Amino acid sequence: MGVPEHCVGAVLGRGGSVIKEIMQYSGARVQVSQKGEFLEGSANERIVTLSGPASAVQTAQYMVQARVQQALAQPRDQRGLR
């Protein structure tokens, strides 16, 4: 799945705290592509790879999307940009 570059900080969290929480709660493995590595056909969406049992992946996907929506709803200077 793709996550806008400017929202990646909200998905990762300080010191990886949010991504760790998503992995623990969902049971899925969540990986975010390196800076500058974008979803094919996109110039600003980082690749987020989810793996594990289908129900775990579905939960993790929901949680990642929720964090992105939260970040998009905040003023740009409060998004936890990296």
Side-chain angles (χ1 to χ4, degrees):
M1 69 183 289
V3 169
E5 174 77 23
H6 61 273
C7 295
V8 168
V11 173
L12 293 174
R14 187 173 302 266
S17 63
V18 173
I19 199 166
K20 287 176 190 171
E21 179 183 320
I22 292 171
M23 288 191 290
Q24 282 185 328
Y25 182 82
S26 68
R29 181 174 175 160
V30 183
Q31 294 179 287
V32 179
S33 65
Q34 296 296 314
K35 194 169 190 166
E37 188 179 335
F38 300 112
L39 191 63
E40 190 173 332
S42 169
N44 70 343
E45 286 201 352
R46 299 266 290 275
I47 303 163
V48 176
T49 305
L50 308 172
S51 57
S55 62
V57 168
Q58 186 175 14
T59 300
Q61 183 176 8
Y62 173 81
M63 293 177 77
V64 169
Q65 288 172 336
R67 292 297 299 188
V68 169
Q69 291 304 313
Q70 255 182 338
L72 291 173
Q74 292 179 344
R76 189 164 176 86
D77 62 336
Q78 296 177 8
R79 290 186 187 161
L81 300 177
R82 295 185 155 281

